[in-house]
Amino acid sequence: MNLPLIKRISLVLLLFVSAASIAQTRNTASFNSNWKFYLGNATDPQSATFNDASWRSLDLPHDWSIELPFDSTSPTGTGGGALRGGLGWYRKTFTVPATTKGKKVFVDFDGVYMNSEVFINGHSLGVRPNGFISFRYDLTPYLHYGNEKNIIAVKVDNSKQPNSRWYSGSGIYRNVWLTTVSDVFVDHWGTHITTPQVDDQSAKVVLTTTVNNAKAENGIVLVKTSLYDATSKIVGTSSNNIAVPQKGTTNTTQQFLIAKPNLWSVDRPYLYKAVTQILENGKVIDEYTTTFGVRYFNFDIDKGFFLNGKHLKIRGVCDHHDLGCLGAAVNTRALERQLQILKDMGCNAIRTSHNPPAPELLDLCDKMGFVVMDEAFDMWKKEKNPYDYHLYWDEWHKKDLTDQVMRDRNHPSVFIWSVGNEIIEQWDKDGDTLGAGILRELVSIVKSLDDSRPTVTANNEPNSYNALLKTNATDLIGYNYHHNDWDSAIIKWYRKPFIVTESVSALQTRGHYDMPSDSIRRWPQQWDKPLTDANADLTCSAYENCATPWGSTHEETLKVFEKLDHVSGMFIWTGFDYIGEPTPYPWPARSSYFGIVDLAGFPKDSYYLYQSVWTDKPVLHILPHWNWKPGQTIDMWAYYNNADEVELFVNGKSLGVKKKTGDDLHVMWRTTFVPGTLKAVSRRNGKVVLTKEVRTAGAPAKITLQVDRKAINAGDDLSFVTVRIEDKDGNLVPDASNDVQFKLSGGGSFAGVDNGCQTSMESFKADHRKAFNGLCLAVVKAAKAGKVTLTATSPGLSSATVNIDVK
Ligand code: GAL
């Protein structure tokens, strides 16, 4: 072979690397399948002799609460989505090959809600109260090998209620993994990567690896790390020989210089990989991959946030962890769909309110380009609910926060650690040092593990007696709401960089409009007063005219936000509706009205407001629909961008040209309804940019189906099918509520159904769903490859069919 030297070297390296990865050094396998589940308590289900034949078989992740009926008497309350918690048991029988003897075997839980206790072959491995934290147990000392069976049993106790201000779900609702490693291995969350010096020319990468020697003898190993770029080209290597004392852990640090690094950004989320091998006597005994990004950032007190030297306004949303009809059961495709919808809106940041997220969310944010505020707690020692985490605070907060930071600190998407949301200790009176002490402790825990990111608390008390802000302990000042106080925030608080940790809390039902559109409803009228004058059908208006008194409409806050340079970013409450917290309504409302997107994933109108301000893609969105009573006075709104004017026509007759002036974020025409066609035309310099038409819809006549992806993978991949109720001419019928029956053939099954209605008492796990304001959703999955056919029927409507290829 006559290859140039450089090519020969890379070929040798490539062969070396692939040979090393072929060696079965570390195996992390899904441990999700073939579990048995029982809702209720049982006598000694952890014992090997317990007979679980009558228990239900299922695969994880699993949320039992989402399967239950809505229940006005549920102790979770409407805040918890009126879905019950309870106590449940999971059991799984498995074998471990004899060849595994001598290795270490761990079980990794990404999250169990809540109060879990895990048993292996009758031995309790431990309890974990926190329902959002990831944890690992060492199974090795208790395992049977070969044909002898092992029993893992997990008790999950979510029976003490209320313990959450929002829907928590119940059960092993995140993924479980079985990790097998040799007895000298990279420890749990055992790498820490930072990029302390970065510019366009080079990046210094520092990797500290914690090597665990589980053997009863001292040893010497070689730790060899190669950095790969996104094309799998090696861009740095380092090898250290280290002594690893018996039964202990040892840290080793390696440094690299990447020339002309590809920087991670929200527009170009470029990822590198560090592959760390441990070699003993020349043999690779472990291999551990850490994904990372190279980027630098700073918060400027006056000018806001800079990523890689460029100004970036953090335009974020808060979200809770439930995935609508899937409940809390994590699903990567469902998370990805949410993020895609948000990205298209111009959102570039996520706040994991108010708890550690599923690891998959951070992986997706790394890949898709979102800045993340990773939040730890919704309460500290002082309670918000009688059975919430405050009960476990003293014993667990240190461990939980440590584990969260250890788990998440290599993610390039993570930019800020929030150590608490609206913490009651803000109001500690003079002389009460509880909150101040806790805050200082939490910040020092974070800093001891990661000093590369700022800390913050999300404060809803902006006044000078806020005991947390007074400590000056966090790097950033964070406010929830109070948009009229943002101007003075940094002056008040020691001139520190400022971020709006939570904003807006507007209230909207998709497709529902209360006129006049320019009179604002504050519901409830005051935060501590009951609601007195809201809608009997428990709707909130989707014009920008309904909001909580502590919050604002989207436009009210957006106007201030975009103007103030020192406001580095904000996180809108919320991106998506979530189950629980149906402010402003009581039962039978059971899910939130705060989302820019409804629970089913259908955008409300405000979505296009943000899209018109936060993106360059041409937007012309008109609202509301055009089905009203003849003679009724209607406010027509348009959100638009990339144009200087919009003209609206009714049945060909112009209602005039409107232009946004000053602070305007929309234009409006007040008109009298006549049935027919509404046409909006946006123009720039006299040239048409976009046109939009809305017609008065006739009676429901047909169903149409739109799939988000026509091909999915077998397993937990999902196809989201939007169901539209249309008139005979294809117009969406804006108030249609037809019950749509779904049928699947070809081996598919329903992951859930929904319509985004906050008061629907229908089950998320049925095979039919009423449309709500013209739309509903079916989520389809398939266990095996093939072709799945979804048919949707409803009495009096022509049916529709769609095929989904399963690979
Ligand atoms: C905030 C709180 C959120 C949610 C929201 C509703 O004060 O941080 O968790 O409750 O209010 O408006």
Side-chain angles (χ1 to χ4, degrees), residues 313-318 345 347-351 503 561 569-573 596 614:
K313 195 94 170 163
I314 298 176
R315 295 169 163 150
V317 299
C318 307
M345 183 183 97
C347 166
N348 61 21
I350 302 289
R351 173 197 192 196
S503 62
F561 175 72
M570 72 165 170
F571 294 92
I572 300 159
W573 193 267
I596 301 167
W614 285 356

Side-chain angles (χ1 to χ4, degrees), residues 458-628:
N459 296 284
N460 55 333
E461 179 51 80
N463 286 311
S464 53
Y465 48 80
N466 183 320
L468 306 184
L469 285 171
K470 270 202 288 202
T471 62
N472 196 16
T474 56
D475 303 295
L476 306 179
I477 298 301
Y479 276 14
N480 286 4
Y481 308 100
H482 298 96
H483 57 283
N484 293 323
D485 294 331
W486 296 353
D487 222 351
S488 56
I490 50 164
I491 301 158
K492 195 145 119 200
W493 301 110
Y494 322 99
R495 281 196 57 75
K496 284 208 170 171
F498 179 67
I499 186 152
V500 177
T501 36
E502 186 175 318
S503 62
V504 179
S505 271
L507 303 164
Q508 299 178 336
T509 300
R510 174 185 52 78
H512 176 83
Y513 306 91
D514 290 334
M515 275 162 259
S517 65
D518 50 1
S519 90
I520 307 241
R521 289 110 178 116
R522 301 281 175 207
W523 287 352
Q525 286 78 1
Q526 241 177 267
W527 73 271
D528 54 350
K529 293 261 154 46
L531 185 65
T532 50
D533 62 352
N535 294 342
D537 63 355
L538 311 193
T539 51
C540 292
S541 173
Y543 281 122
E544 269 282 89
N545 61 346
C546 191
T548 55
W550 55 90
S552 67
T553 66
H554 291 281
E555 289 198 4
E556 284 169 337
T557 280
L558 190 55
K559 283 178 187 173
V560 179
F561 175 72
E562 290 296 329
K563 255 187 262 167
L564 297 177
D565 287 343
H566 73 277
V567 179
S568 55
M570 72 165 170
F571 294 92
I572 300 159
W573 193 267
T574 47
F576 282 72
D577 281 346
Y578 51 94
I579 306 172
E581 217 182 22
T583 307
Y585 293 114
W587 172 267
R590 47 64 174 169
S591 59
S592 84
Y593 293 74
F594 297 116
I596 301 167
V597 182
D598 79 10
L599 197 66
F602 303 135
K604 303 177 190 174
D605 297 289
S606 304
Y607 181 89
Y608 303 97
L609 161 70
Y610 288 105
Q611 203 174 47
S612 71
V613 180
W614 285 356
T615 77
D616 290 332
K617 50 183 118 177
V619 174
L620 173 60
H621 178 76
I622 48 175
L623 64 142
H625 54 78
W626 200 233
N627 273 55
W628 302 96

